[in-house]
Amino acid sequence: MNMKRISMAVCLFVAACGGEDNEPAAEPLAYEDMSFAERVVFMNDVVMPEMKEIFVAFDPKFETMACTTCHGNGAIDGTYAMPSPQIAPLPPSEEAFLEYIKDPEHMRWAQFMGEQVWPRMADLLQVEKYDPTTAPNGFSCSNCHTHTAE
Ligand code: HEC
Ligand code: HEC
């Protein structure tokens, strides 16, 4: 089971997966071409402010959002490795995920993630969003979240 397919399960209930043009704007240097040091600067100057804005709009507790919010211990040991085991792990299959979001609180979060966090982050990184046919290696929930065991 490809865990990235959870991103597709989200498409059953969010509007962000339609045919609209998500082509990232042309920018001088794309994340993928940056050195590690350039990525640190980009995260600090671009990703943090942009993502904090949407997280705070969802829940004011994110006023204290920091690198650790996404990177967990990776922001402390300096690796910034993703996905982060400190972000709540998601269920391991599409079926389990559909079960998981029957909890309205999980649904509320999954909707925020699917409509805002996932597409915004992919745009900022200038990478394609995961799609099983057109972008099987694309950016998905699983670039940030680990998954629980089956
Ligand atoms: C909203 C979530 C989020 C926040 C907040 C965030 N990052 Fe990131 N960061 C990511 C994602 C996603 C990646 C790319 C992972 C991938 O390539 O799949 C990344 C990648 C990185 C990388 C590159 C890692 C590598 O292996 O090359 C560095 C360095 C980094 N972040 C530093 C930071 C710093 C410093 C901060 C705080 C100023 C920060 N990040 C805040 C989500 C975040
Ligand atoms: C850029 C990184 C990133 C991406 C991409 C992402 N998430 Fe998240 N997600 C987070 C962070 C960070 C939190 C935890 C916020 C906190 O500290 O409470 C979170 C929290 C959640 C939660 C709440 C979990 C809990 O028990 O508190 C759910 C559910 C969730 N995400 C689902 C998803 C789904 C589904 C996708 C894909 C559509 C997704 N996320 C994509 C970073 C991400």
Side-chain angles (χ1 to χ4, degrees):
M1 171 60 65
N2 183 347
M3 291 174 182
K4 290 197 171 196
R5 290 195 61 87
I6 284 184
S7 296
M8 287 300 102
V10 169
C11 294
L12 297 173
F13 60 88
V14 304
C17 312
E20 92 265 40
D21 189 4
N22 272 325
E23 211 51 53
E27 307 237 339
L29 188 60
Y31 169 83
E32 288 189 334
D33 300 324
M34 291 176 190
S35 68
F36 191 83
E38 286 165 337
R39 288 175 177 183
V40 170
V41 173
F42 170 71
M43 287 279 149
N44 198 62
D45 293 357
V46 179
V47 175
M48 255 324 277
E50 293 257 356
M51 295 308 279
K52 187 172 171 181
E53 195 177 319
I54 65 170
F55 272 85
V56 168
F58 176 70
D59 188 329
K61 80 173 182 187
F62 289 108
E63 277 299 347
T64 56
M65 189 167 179
C67 310
T68 46
T69 306
C70 289
H71 288 286
N73 292 343
I76 296 160
D77 65 25
T79 60
Y80 295 97
M82 291 295 265
S84 163
Q86 282 79 46
I87 301 177
L90 295 176
S93 68
E94 231 170 328
E95 292 73 18
F97 180 74
L98 293 173
E99 201 50 43
Y100 170 82
I101 56 172
K102 285 182 180 163
D103 177 330
E105 190 57 15
H106 291 160
M107 179 61 165
R108 196 173 72 89
W109 276 90
Q111 217 156 351
F112 164 58
M113 291 281 148
E115 285 175 351
Q116 300 191 53
V117 177
W118 176 36
R120 192 76 198 104
M121 192 75 214
D123 278 359
L124 289 171
L125 297 174
Q126 300 186 50
V127 292
E128 277 189 289
K129 284 198 313 179
Y130 169 76
D131 180 285
T133 46
T134 59
N137 297 316
F139 186 79
S140 75
C141 316
S142 311
N143 283 69
C144 293
H145 289 264
T146 59
H147 294 267
T148 53
E150 196 74 63

